[in-house]
Amino acid sequence: MTFNQIYQYNFPTTIRFGPGSSKELGDYLLKNGLAKPLIVTDATVAQLDFFKEIIADLKKKKISAEIFSDIHKNPVKSDVYKGTDSYDATARNAVIGIGGGAALDVARAIVLRVNHREDLFKYDDLTGGEVYITNDVPHFITIPTTAGTGSEVGRSAVIADDETHQKKILFSPRLLAKIVYADPLLTMELPPFITAATGMDALTHNMEAYLAKTPHPLCEGIALEGISIISQALTKAVNSPDQESRSKMLIASLMGAVAFQKGLGVVHSLAHPLSSLLDTHHGLANAVNIPYGMQFNIEGCEHKFKRVARTLELKEENGEAVVKYLFDLNSKINIPHKLRDIGVKQGHIETLADLAIADFAHPNNPKPLTREDFKHLYLKAL
Ligand SMILES: NC(=O)c1ccc[n+]([C@@H]2O[C@H](COP(=O)([O-])OP(=O)(O)OC[C@H]3O[C@@H](n4cnc5c(N)ncnc54)[C@H](O)[C@@H]3O)[C@@H](O)[C@H]2O)c1
Ligand SMILES: [Fe+2]
């Protein structure tokens, strides 16, 4: 598969995919009367050349973009409040998220907050907050610059409490972007570590979505193809990136996020506590845990693992071969095999197990888990 032109896909929203697609942003804004956008990004992306070029192009078209980049790597509520203050103070009429999952989450939460002014966590999906999301929201556009979370096509934002670091989920179909500019050229300079960690997040989304117990063949088809594309591209994207490997990782990460409407599973529940407790990057936390989580899932899912193995073109078509593939893939992209190599200590295990059993992702895992199962998995990976 090669991407040498821009294609339009309309599932789940309008996606303009291909090299250079982000250059269409200015004309789109003008056509839709959106000449006063708030651009939400992070402080690193705000300094990159492609970002400066996007701003310069908007300026040329007389679009006055306000930039908000004061966000945390695992975003918190006060980031969202500050960004909304900026939206209000400068009388904006659209929100554009440009960045990785963190920036896109903050952008999406600002989109919610503009016309929903109760405490942000009143809208927490886990406590039924979606029912309060009833007002219109500003025009929302996303431009991903990492290939991992797929948040550009998502309808939820993960935002943590400033003090407790507990993660809340803001969810509503209203929070889906109106248009996504997915431009692989923006990901060309991603450093190897971020490429590896975000790429493994994308692989985890596709694998967990495929295995998740909710019946959803549409998402399963997407997930299997996502797994196949990542297997062709991730090692190259990390070690000797070219436009094709970057394009493949960007489309596969977007596919993972479409697929995980079906649900996630054990690996995300193992990973989330590492970010809450130790501030571990989300993708890295998934990457280290995925071989162990998949090993746990084999029993009872033999048929599905056979299909995953076939998709990966492995010699042995079974779950054990998939687990071995995952360890080998981590080695090739310089991801450690053990939790102790990413700062986890024996003393963390009990707290991690408490957080994991309370996590929202595992109820959709094909095999149910107890707190003991989580403890056992952490100890095995330690
Ligand atoms: N909403 C969802 O459904 C969902 C799902 C999973 C994760 N998340 C959230 O997403 C976040 C993780 O997102 P992520 O993995 O994209 O990481 P990220 O947004 O933290 O970005 C990783 C790093 O890469 C840098 N970066 C981004 N684009 C770059 C580029 N083109 N070139 C060079 N550097 C670049 C960033 O500045 C940052 O330092 C977490 O906060 C997590 O909670 C959200
Ligand atoms: Fe994820």
Side-chain angles (χ1 to χ4, degrees), residues 201 205 268 282 286:
D201 187 26
H205 293 154
H268 270 75
H282 175 71
N286 276 319

Side-chain angles (χ1 to χ4, degrees), residues 276-293:
S276 311
L277 196 68
L278 303 167
D279 220 19
T280 312
H281 180 269
H282 175 71
L284 177 63
N286 276 319
V288 179
N289 282 302
I290 189 175
Y292 302 95

Side-chain angles (χ1 to χ4, degrees), residues 300-319:
C301 277
E302 289 83 357
H303 179 67
K304 280 196 157 173
F305 273 99
K306 188 174 173 181
R307 286 198 68 192
V308 173
R310 202 171 279 168
T311 301
L312 292 168
E313 297 180 22
L314 304 180
K315 269 202 213 98
E316 304 275 331
E317 294 186 349
N318 57 39

Side-chain angles (χ1 to χ4, degrees), residues 265-279:
V266 51
V267 183
H268 270 75
S269 285
L270 287 164
H272 287 147
L274 295 176
S275 301
S276 311
L277 196 68
L278 303 167
D279 220 19

Side-chain angles (χ1 to χ4, degrees), residues 42-46 48 50 71-75 98-105 108 144-152 154-159 167 169-170 185-191 194 197-198 201 205 257 260 264 268 272 275 281-283 286:
D42 69 41
T44 307
V45 173
L48 298 177
F50 71 73
I71 70 166
H72 288 81
K73 114 175 183 202
N74 282 304
I98 305 181
L104 298 187
D105 275 1
R108 181 169 290 113
T145 67
T146 62
T149 69
S151 185
E152 60 275 14
R155 297 161 299 172
S156 55
V158 184
I159 303 292
K167 292 197 172 197
I169 300 177
L170 309 168
L185 297 184
L186 307 190
T187 67
M188 289 307 293
E189 305 298 325
L190 272 172
I194 297 173
T198 52
D201 187 26
H205 293 154
F260 82 62
L264 290 169
H268 270 75
H272 287 147
S275 301
H281 180 269
H282 175 71
N286 276 319

